[in-house]
Amino acid sequence: MRETDFPLANFVLLTGYNGVACDFGRLSGGDYHDKRAVYIPRSLELSVTPWQQELREAFGQGDLTLAARPVDANRLELDFRYDVFTAREVFVQLPLIVFYDSRVLVDGEPFGGAEPAEVKHEVSISNPTMGSAVRLAVPEGHPARLNPGVWPLRWYGGEHPDQRYEPYYKICLLSVRVDGAQGRGEGRFILEVAE
């Protein structure tokens, strides 16, 4: 979906290039080539071990890393690190799969799903069909927003007019803005799975 204004990217790194801006995941300004330059890295590395999975993306203005580490059977730490220069804004984002019959709470209040919601502490998602319940705490001191879900890509070249079903999940984007991201820094999400 290269021409989308809402890429489901883990990182967005803004420098002011061709007027491209980001509003917690939604891009504006420039053409689609300009927009792609703020979320598609020059290179990336992935390492996977039983103790940690790490994604490192290298942009022209620095490196961003997201590492997942299990703490115990029900808890996962998602640490991000950045080492950037000439950056105006950095966004760290997590695409969240939300099944059709899920209940989503933002800071304890129901998430309507039609409009973005500010997240101060956590997002909780429970699903009776899957028998799952998770709580995702956002990094302290960083503004965050949960965006309405988008459908997974089903067709290339336009939608078919006679669809008989809708997909059973949407993808909501949790976007965290790292203010004053110059030099090095870090933050942490905490994901807990209910028993």
Side-chain angles (χ1 to χ4, degrees):
M1 297 177 59
R2 66 183 185 179
E3 295 186 33
T4 183
D5 287 337
F6 198 73
L8 299 174
N10 287 116
F11 302 111
V12 174
L13 180 66
L14 298 173
T15 62
Y17 174 70
N18 280 356
V20 176
C22 182
D23 183 23
F24 291 92
R26 186 167 304 282
L27 299 177
S28 61
D31 62 21
Y32 83 86
H33 292 290
D34 300 331
K35 291 174 184 169
R36 291 179 70 192
V38 305
Y39 67 89
I40 296 181
R42 290 182 175 190
S43 68
L44 61 87
E45 296 175 13
L46 180 64
S47 66
V48 178
T49 68
W51 305 276
Q52 177 173 295
Q53 297 79 47
E54 184 173 280
L55 171 67
R56 180 180 167 268
E57 296 189 9
F59 290 82
Q61 296 76 27
D63 299 336
L64 297 123
T65 304
L66 185 63
R69 271 188 297 288
V71 176
D72 56 39
N74 299 89
R75 186 173 167 164
L76 184 72
E77 292 177 344
L78 294 156
D79 292 332
F80 66 85
R81 295 185 311 276
Y82 60 87
D83 184 1
V84 298
F85 59 95
T86 69
R88 290 187 180 176
E89 287 182 306
V90 171
F91 290 85
V92 180
Q93 306 183 130
L94 300 177
L96 306 176
I97 303 294
V98 178
F99 290 96
Y100 75 96
D101 58 346
S102 292
R103 181 170 189 231
V104 180
L105 301 176
V106 173
D107 297 326
E109 296 296 321
F111 175 57
E115 296 293 328
E118 179 183 358
V119 182
K120 293 186 185 222
H121 304 289
E122 67 182 30
V123 174
S124 300
I125 304 171
S126 59
N127 182 272
T129 302
M130 303 300 285
S132 62
V134 297
R135 183 181 76 82
L136 180 62
V138 299
E140 291 293 323
H142 298 290
R145 188 180 297 168
L146 182 64
N147 288 289
V150 296
W151 296 117
L153 182 64
R154 295 179 284 168
W155 316 105
Y156 291 93
E159 293 288 330
H160 290 269
D162 59 347
Q163 295 179 66
R164 293 180 293 234
Y165 67 94
E166 291 183 343
Y168 55 94
Y169 70 92
K170 287 186 175 182
I171 305 167
C172 292
L173 185 67
L174 177 63
S175 182
V176 174
R177 187 178 71 217
V178 180
D179 291 326
Q182 288 295 325
R184 295 180 178 164
E186 59 189 26
R188 174 174 288 164
F189 298 89
I190 298 174
L191 179 71
E192 292 182 302
V193 179
E195 293 188 41

